[in-house]
Amino acid sequence: MGSQASTLLREEEIEEIKKETGFSHSQITRLYSRFTSLDKCQNGTLSQEDLQSIPELAINPLGDRIISAFFAEGEDQVNFRGFTRTLAHFRPIEDNNERSNDPTAGEPINSRTNKLLFSFRLYDMDRDGRISRDELLQVLRMMVGTNILDEQLGSIVDRTIQEANWNGDNSISFDDFVKLLEDFDVEQKMSIRFLH
Ligand code: CA
């Protein structure tokens, strides 16, 4: 089925995705056969439920948040193009060497800023551009499970917001977030080795 699926992807489409995401030709055909095997209705798009069957996401405490990042606002389906665009955030930055020689390429999806923006959106559940106290609390709760008491988690959240937020409105903007993670190795932490 995999080989049949890859023949359905047009060559010019592969070229466009390559340019947009930085994935190689063979990575794209590999991802396409993964995509089609997840596409249970065979309608060319994936639903939230389709993505939930990816084992790596099923065991990730933030799996549901990551899955929601695949969907544009108000959408409940993602096509192959959107699928690769989301995954491209996880490409290692050092894989950009070839791309940086192309002056028309623009800022790559896997730049430090775009990786940070992706993680920011995991926390910004209502997509209003700020992480509220409640959003931070909810996402941290997903990460730590029941090992930490509400009270402790609440004080971690308050401290983080205090540290991050210089204009004092009790929420974290993307600029605050960038400053907060200044010394954090997001390049390494947000990279997945995709098979070549
Ligand atoms: Ca928000």
Side-chain angles (χ1 to χ4, degrees):
M1 209 170 100
S3 60
Q4 187 203 358
S6 58
T7 59
L8 294 171
L9 197 57
R10 287 176 302 118
E11 214 41 59
E12 59 264 42
E13 216 171 327
I14 295 180
E15 281 310 310
E16 280 169 28
I17 294 172
K18 236 170 100 172
K19 190 157 187 188
E20 186 177 29
T21 63
F23 283 124
S24 69
H25 194 287
S26 67
Q27 284 174 325
I28 293 166
T29 50
R30 209 185 281 268
L31 288 172
Y32 192 68
S33 63
R34 187 84 193 264
F35 181 89
T36 44
S37 70
L38 292 166
D39 180 13
K40 294 205 189 58
C41 310
Q42 303 280 303
N43 62 352
T45 61
L46 300 183
S47 65
Q48 196 152 338
E49 206 187 331
D50 292 331
L51 291 168
Q52 276 159 351
S53 63
I54 301 175
E56 295 90 326
L57 289 178
I59 59 160
N60 190 312
L62 293 185
D64 281 346
R65 296 299 307 139
I66 296 170
I67 287 170
S68 80
F70 280 89
F71 302 98
E73 182 126 39
E75 303 274 327
D76 62 1
Q77 298 285 323
V78 59
N79 62 16
F80 182 60
R81 196 80 182 252
F83 180 73
T84 56
R85 209 180 294 129
T86 301
L87 290 176
H89 288 86
F90 295 95
R91 285 181 57 246
I93 287 181
E94 60 267 26
D95 286 2
N96 284 351
N97 293 340
E98 192 188 326
R99 195 192 158 86
S100 55
N101 297 325
D102 179 357
T104 65
E107 175 154 347
I109 296 179
N110 64 340
S111 68
R112 177 177 170 91
T113 303
N114 282 331
K115 281 178 188 284
L116 283 169
L117 197 54
F118 186 91
S119 13
F120 181 81
R121 288 177 177 151
L122 295 181
Y123 293 90
D124 182 15
M125 300 173 85
D126 66 1
R127 301 189 179 192
D128 72 343
R130 307 196 66 91
I131 304 171
S132 66
R133 182 182 189 276
D134 189 49
E135 287 171 330
L136 186 56
L137 199 58
Q138 282 189 59
V139 176
L140 289 182
R141 174 56 74 201
M142 294 174 201
M143 291 164 80
V144 301
T146 51
N147 298 322
I148 294 184
L149 299 171
D150 280 344
E151 207 180 301
Q152 290 171 300
L153 200 58
S155 72
I156 293 172
V157 164
D158 288 335
R159 270 207 308 275
T160 307
I161 290 182
Q162 238 170 38
E163 192 191 328
N165 177 229
W166 286 270
N167 55 9
D169 69 347
N170 217 22
S171 65
I172 300 173
S173 69
F174 182 59
D175 284 345
D176 295 337
F177 190 75
V178 169
K179 280 188 217 152
L180 190 67
L181 296 179
E182 216 163 32
D183 301 323
F184 182 72
D185 189 6
V186 69
E187 288 88 343
Q188 283 300 317
K189 295 278 192 306
M190 272 193 65
S191 290
I192 296 173
R193 294 260 146 236
F194 291 92
L195 293 174
H196 282 273

